[in-house]
Every structure is written in structure tokens, then in C-alpha cells.
């Protein structure tokens, strides 16, 4: 029933920018904390950013702080992740996730997940 669908991934070069989108449906996601995680081949899935519903408080991983911006639009059911100054180490499958209550970087607390969108940053 619940569904999160990511889009906007692709191939970019080092230093360029990209905007990822996540569309939520099937649940009342406008009251959920929304987040982005990423997973590179052979590595564990890691937290990127999250944003709460009511207050709009954001949290970023140190690896993307200053280069990424998470925001919510369309009655808070669409979430974006804008990244600039992309690096090869940003290459990964990016996943959208959702949880109830407050924001958190803990992967295990997120209840709903999308299928991911591939981001490849070439040198």
C-alpha cells in the first residue's frame, strides 16, 4: 500500500549538481519525517539527510553538509534532495525513506522505503 518512488538520478561529472525527487503515496506521509539514504556497491547503506514534517528541521551527514539541501513540497508528500559540487564518492543508489515522529539518522527506525535511484559521478 505505502509507496515511495525516487527519480532524478543519472550520470553527472565531478563538480556538477543534481536534484533527486521522492513522491509518496498510500499513507499520510505529510506527517512523517522524510529522509535520504545511499548505498554504494559493497558498502552499507548510510544516512544522507532528513527533514521533519511540522518544524522542517533538517539533519545532514557530515559527508554532504554544505553541499546538500533537503526540502518538502506538494503538501509535504514530495521530498527533494539537491546536491552540488558532486564528487565520485557520492556515487551510490539513493533511497527515500519515511518514519513517524521525529527525525533520526538511524536506518533501523525508518519504516517505509523506495526502490532507489542510481547516481553516478564521474571524474
Amino acid at each position: 500500500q505505502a509507496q515511495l518512488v525516487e527519480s532524478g538520478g543519472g550520470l553527472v561529472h565531478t563538480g556538477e549538481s543534481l536534484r533527486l525527487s521522492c513522491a509518496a503515496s498510500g499513507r499520510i506521509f505529510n506527517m512523517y519525517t522524510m529522509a535520504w539514504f545511499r548505498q554504494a556497491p559493497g558498502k552499507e547503506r548510510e544516512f544522507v539527510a532528513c527533514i521533519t514534517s511540522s518544524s522542517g528541521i533538517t539533519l545532514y551527514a557530515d559527508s554532504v553538509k554544505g553541499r546538500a539541501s533537503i526540502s518538502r513540497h506538494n503538501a509535504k508528500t514530495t521530498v527533494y534532495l539537491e546536491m552540488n559540487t558532486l564528487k565520485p564518492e557520492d556515487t551510490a543508489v539513493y533511497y527515500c525513506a519515511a518514519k513517524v515522529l521525529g527525525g533520526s539518522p538511524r536506518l533501523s527506525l525508518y519504516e517505509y522505503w523506495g526502490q532507489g535511484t542510481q547516481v553516478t559521478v564521474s571524474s
Side-chain angles (χ1 to χ4, degrees):
Q1 182 184 177
Q3 186 175 29
L4 300 175
V5 181
E6 305 94 336
S7 62
L11 175 63
V12 296
H13 292 88
T14 297
E16 294 183 335
S17 300
L18 196 67
R19 187 181 77 167
L20 305 180
S21 300
C22 174
S25 62
R27 294 284 191 183
I28 308 177
F29 285 107
N30 62 325
M31 298 301 295
Y32 283 61
T33 289
M34 305 295 291
W36 288 93
F37 289 78
R38 66 185 183 184
Q39 186 169 23
K43 297 183 179 180
E44 296 184 344
R45 194 169 300 185
E46 65 177 9
F47 172 79
V48 177
C50 69
I51 182 169
T52 63
S53 178
S54 60
S55 63
I57 296 175
T58 58
L59 179 65
Y60 298 94
D62 288 341
S63 60
V64 301
K65 192 172 299 181
R67 301 189 298 117
S69 178
I70 186 171
S71 60
R72 306 182 72 149
H73 299 278
N74 297 335
K76 301 182 180 180
T77 58
T78 301
V79 183
Y80 302 101
L81 179 68
E82 298 180 6
M83 297 186 66
N84 56 48
T85 320
L86 286 163
K87 309 173 182 179
E89 48 263 49
D90 293 320
T91 296
V93 175
Y94 283 70
Y95 296 90
C96 181
K99 67 180 293 293
V100 297
L101 302 179
S104 173
R106 294 184 60 186
L107 184 150
S108 62
L109 295 180
Y110 286 82
E111 184 176 4
Y112 304 102
W113 293 85
Q115 294 299 305
T117 184
Q118 177 71 48
V119 173
T120 302
V121 184
S122 66
S123 60

